[in-house]
Amino acid sequence: MPSIPTLADVCMVPLGTGSPSVSDFVTKIEKKIRESPLKSTLHSAGTTIEGPWDDVMKLIGELHEYSHELGYVRVHTDIRVGTRTDKVQTAEDKVNAVLSKLDQ
Amino acid sequence: MPSIPTLADVCMVPLGTGSPSVSDFVTKIEKKIRESPLKSTLHSAGTTIEGPWDDVMKLIGELHEYSHELGYVRVHTDIRVGTRTDKVQTAEDKVNAVLSKLDQ
Amino acid sequence: MPSIPTLADVCMVPLGTGSPSVSDFVTKIEKKIRESPLKSTLHSAGTTIEGPWDDVMKLIGELHEYSHELGYVRVHTDIRVGTRTDKVQTAEDKVNAVLSKLDQ
Amino acid sequence: MPSIPTLADVCMVPLGTGSPSVSDFVTKIEKKIRESPLKSTLHSAGTTIEGPWDDVMKLIGELHEYSHELGYVRVHTDIRVGTRTDKVQTAEDKVNAVLSKLDQ
């Protein structure tokens, strides 16, 4: 499996739940993400997960399987994912680079 | 134009720039977003913008046009957008709902 | 409103529907898209819509409002959208460019 | 690794290439996808790949690594991915379900 450093921003939604509220679902998923050794950052439109490609994608796949175990029949996920070879960059680095340039 | 309350999470990238770094581009876009009257929140994989559908989509279109004026020839954007009729919810509300349930 | 030529690939899902099947929803949305004057192409993960920015985004907003009129309380949409100033390109052009290079 | 049946719609773009055209890049990626044993369908805004979660995500990771080997320094990818437990459904099934309902 590929192990290149990866930043993946993940937005998961359950379909067919009977209620339009998804905060119970998101909370269970977020707990599971925080139990993993991977660094993550929650925001209002998803959670950014950092780590080697295989660990990140294994975790997201496990989140799908976990959702189904919880009884969620269908899960739809959007992932924005980036890799680069010119430098090592964390999610925090990306925000800080923009914030410091905004201050100039 | 539709004016339904909208949460739109926007990730814009310029293509064909010659450099893999996008923080200069993102900073210029972020400045423009902050000059608008719409509420927004920057994170490492995009910016969430809140407001009526037409205002939000007009702003994002203007960001494309502004990018082209700055010399960026091609811009590729990913938007996660949601609307709902059962309640009014801000981006901050969504995060707080999950954080309070995580604490229980 | 911005009127730059735009290619937008749109994936809409309803939340809280009680059934995990979305083909009834997608069919109603697709009918509405085909009644509009904008060119579109259905595929298994969304529909690509072509036209000026304001027309495309107005249509997608109307699709959200139409969904709510039909009783769908919450709709979550992912849009991949691109604009460029170096040439005019349709969705069909993009596929044909790749297919012709694959043949070489 | 999770092996649940997965439909993943993948849109990859290279950053910092010097040219806004991406058809050379997409053609190389598409060739690689077609060399894999996984079923796939090209459209104007991406390629849909079908298979077990681990095979699909391994392939996409390999496409990132392959891009970097080709000299693309940074690659940004958007993935729409779904899993469900109520039935087995291919990408073709999804389109056919909508097309047959449109005809009614």
Side-chain angles (χ1 to χ4, degrees):
Chain A
M1 284 287 292
S3 60
I4 184 167
T6 299
L7 284 177
D9 191 59
V10 181
C11 174
M12 297 180 73
V13 293
L15 303 191
T17 54
S19 161
S21 173
V22 298
S23 60
D24 282 349
F25 172 82
V26 173
T27 302
K28 283 166 189 160
I29 294 299
E30 184 65 18
K31 268 188 189 155
K32 208 78 179 169
I33 293 173
R34 293 182 181 198
E35 286 168 19
S36 91
L38 300 179
K39 188 163 181 211
S40 68
T41 314
L42 174 71
H43 59 88
S44 75
T47 297
T48 305
I49 304 173
E50 306 175 50
W53 180 277
D54 46 1
D55 292 351
V56 171
M57 293 305 168
K58 186 182 172 206
L59 174 58
I60 304 172
E62 287 170 349
L63 295 173
H64 273 256
E65 293 191 329
Y66 173 62
S67 306
H68 296 317
E69 284 163 24
L70 291 172
Y72 295 96
V73 171
R74 186 171 189 176
V75 178
H76 174 83
T77 297
D78 179 58
I79 311 172
R80 292 173 185 157
V81 57
T83 63
R84 62 194 302 180
T85 54
D86 59 332
K87 64 170 167 176
V88 177
Q89 194 181 40
T90 65
E92 199 179 355
D93 291 339
K94 285 176 71 180
V95 172
N96 287 341
V98 173
L99 290 179
S100 72
K101 288 183 181 180
L102 277 174
D103 281 344
Q104 283 165 13
Chain B
M1 284 287 290
S3 60
I4 185 168
T6 299
L7 284 177
D9 191 59
V10 181
C11 174
M12 297 180 72
V13 294
L15 303 191
T17 55
S19 161
S21 174
V22 298
S23 59
D24 282 350
F25 172 81
V26 173
T27 302
K28 282 166 189 158
I29 294 299
E30 184 64 19
K31 268 187 190 156
K32 208 75 180 170
I33 293 173
R34 293 181 180 198
E35 287 168 18
S36 92
L38 300 180
K39 189 166 181 210
S40 68
T41 315
L42 174 71
H43 60 89
S44 75
T47 297
T48 305
I49 304 173
E50 306 175 51
W53 180 277
D54 45 1
D55 291 352
V56 171
M57 293 305 167
K58 186 181 171 206
L59 174 60
I60 304 172
E62 287 170 350
L63 295 173
H64 273 256
E65 292 191 330
Y66 174 63
S67 306
H68 296 318
E69 284 164 24
L70 291 171
Y72 295 96
V73 171
R74 187 173 188 176
V75 177
H76 174 83
T77 296
D78 179 55
I79 311 173
R80 291 173 187 157
V81 56
T83 63
R84 63 192 302 181
T85 53
D86 58 331
K87 64 171 169 177
V88 177
Q89 193 181 41
T90 66
E92 199 179 356
D93 291 338
K94 284 176 71 180
V95 172
N96 287 341
V98 173
L99 290 179
S100 72
K101 288 182 182 181
L102 278 173
D103 282 343
Q104 285 164 9
Chain C
M1 284 287 292
S3 60
I4 186 168
T6 299
L7 284 177
D9 191 58
V10 181
C11 174
M12 297 180 74
V13 294
L15 302 192
T17 53
S19 162
S21 174
V22 298
S23 59
D24 281 350
F25 172 82
V26 173
T27 302
K28 283 166 190 160
I29 294 299
E30 184 64 18
K31 268 187 190 156
K32 207 79 179 169
I33 293 173
R34 293 182 180 196
E35 286 168 17
S36 92
L38 300 180
K39 190 167 180 208
S40 68
T41 315
L42 174 72
H43 60 87
S44 75
T47 297
T48 305
I49 304 173
E50 306 175 50
W53 180 276
D54 45 3
D55 292 352
V56 171
M57 293 305 167
K58 186 180 171 207
L59 174 59
I60 304 171
E62 287 171 348
L63 295 172
H64 273 256
E65 292 191 329
Y66 174 63
S67 305
H68 296 316
E69 283 163 25
L70 291 171
Y72 295 96
V73 171
R74 187 173 187 175
V75 177
H76 174 83
T77 297
D78 179 57
I79 311 173
R80 292 172 185 157
V81 55
T83 63
R84 62 193 303 179
T85 54
D86 59 331
K87 64 171 167 175
V88 177
Q89 193 180 40
T90 65
E92 198 179 357
D93 291 338
K94 285 175 72 179
V95 172
N96 287 342
V98 173
L99 290 179
S100 72
K101 288 183 182 180
L102 278 174
D103 281 344
Q104 284 165 11
Chain D
M1 284 290 288
S3 61
I4 185 167
T6 298
L7 285 177
D9 191 59
V10 181
C11 174
M12 297 180 73
V13 294
L15 303 191
T17 53
S19 162
S21 173
V22 298
S23 59
D24 281 351
F25 171 81
V26 173
T27 303
K28 284 167 189 159
I29 294 298
E30 184 65 18
K31 267 187 189 155
K32 209 74 178 172
I33 293 173
R34 293 182 180 197
E35 286 168 20
S36 91
L38 300 181
K39 189 165 181 207
S40 68
T41 315
L42 174 71
H43 60 89
S44 75
T47 298
T48 305
I49 304 172
E50 305 175 51
W53 180 277
D54 46 1
D55 292 352
V56 171
M57 293 304 167
K58 186 182 171 205
L59 174 59
I60 304 172
E62 287 170 351
L63 295 173
H64 273 255
E65 292 192 329
Y66 173 63
S67 306
H68 296 317
E69 284 163 24
L70 291 172
Y72 295 96
V73 172
R74 187 173 188 175
V75 177
H76 174 83
T77 297
D78 179 56
I79 312 172
R80 291 173 187 158
V81 56
T83 63
R84 63 193 301 180
T85 54
D86 59 330
K87 63 171 170 177
V88 177
Q89 193 181 42
T90 66
E92 199 179 357
D93 291 338
K94 284 176 72 180
V95 172
N96 288 341
V98 173
L99 291 178
S100 72
K101 288 182 182 181
L102 278 174
D103 282 343
Q104 284 164 11

